[in-house]
Amino acid sequence: MNTLQLKWNDLADVKRELALRDWFPGTSGNLSIKVDDESFLVTASGKDKRKETAEDFLLVDARGSAIDGFAGKPSAETLLHVEVYGKTNAGCSLHVHTVDNNVISELYGEEGEVTFTGQEIIKAFGIWEENASVTVPIIPNYANIPQLAAEFGKYVSADAGAVLIRNHGITVWGRDAFEAKKFLEAYEFLFSWHIKLLMLKGR
Ligand SMILES: CSCCC(=O)C(=O)COP(=O)(O)O
Ligand SMILES: [Zn+2]
C-alpha cells in the first residue's frame, strides 16, 4: 500500500471514530492528514461526515488548492489546516463543532482563552505535574476564511495544540492522527466536565 492510501486509511479511521461520537452535526467539521511536505488529505466540503464514501477526502497542495484527480471541493476551512502544516511539523489536524466546545468558547470568549487546572486528564497532554494547567486560546469567528485563518495562525507554533473558535468549534492538531485524536478527546472531556461542574454549582 502506498503512502497516500495508508494516510487515507488513517484519516478514515479517525473520521469513523469521531462520527461514532456524533461530533459532525449538520455536516460540520473537517479533518486533514499530512501526506508529505507538499500535500495533505482534507475532507470534502459540505458532506455528511458520518457517511463513508470513496469521495470523503481530497489531496490538496501546501496552499490548500485541490490536486487533480479527486472529486468534490476541499473543506471551506482548508486554510486553517494549511496554517498547521505550514507552521509546524504536525501530521494531523481535526476540527469539530460540539455543543460543549461552543458553550466554553462563548463563556470565556471575552477573555480570549480558557484555562483548566487540577484535572487528571491533563496528563493526556503529556503534562504530569500535580495541579497542572492547560490553556486554550479563543478567537473570534470571522466569516472571511483567510481572515479567520490568519487569526488562527497566530496561535499555531508547536507541533501539537488547539484553538477554540467562538461559537463555532475547535481545531486540534498533533504529530500524528493518534495524538490529534487523543488531545481532541481530552479537550472535549475538560469542556464537558467544566460545564457540568458549573451547572451543578449553579454558577
Ligand atoms: C455546516 S457547518 C459550517 C461550515 C463549517 O464550519 C464546517 O466545519 C464544515 O465545513 P466544510 O466545508 O469542511 O464541510
Ligand atoms: Zn467549522
Side-chain angles (χ1 to χ4, degrees), residues 53-70:
T53 78
E55 276 109 44
D56 283 350
F57 311 121
L58 293 89
L59 192 65
V60 297
D61 65 21
R63 288 162 41 170
S65 302
I67 292 172
D68 286 349
F70 293 83

Side-chain angles (χ1 to χ4, degrees), residues 67-85:
I67 292 172
D68 286 349
F70 293 83
K73 272 176 50 178
S75 166
E77 293 165 355
T78 297
L79 286 182
L80 279 76
H81 300 266
V82 166
E83 290 291 318
V84 169
Y85 301 120

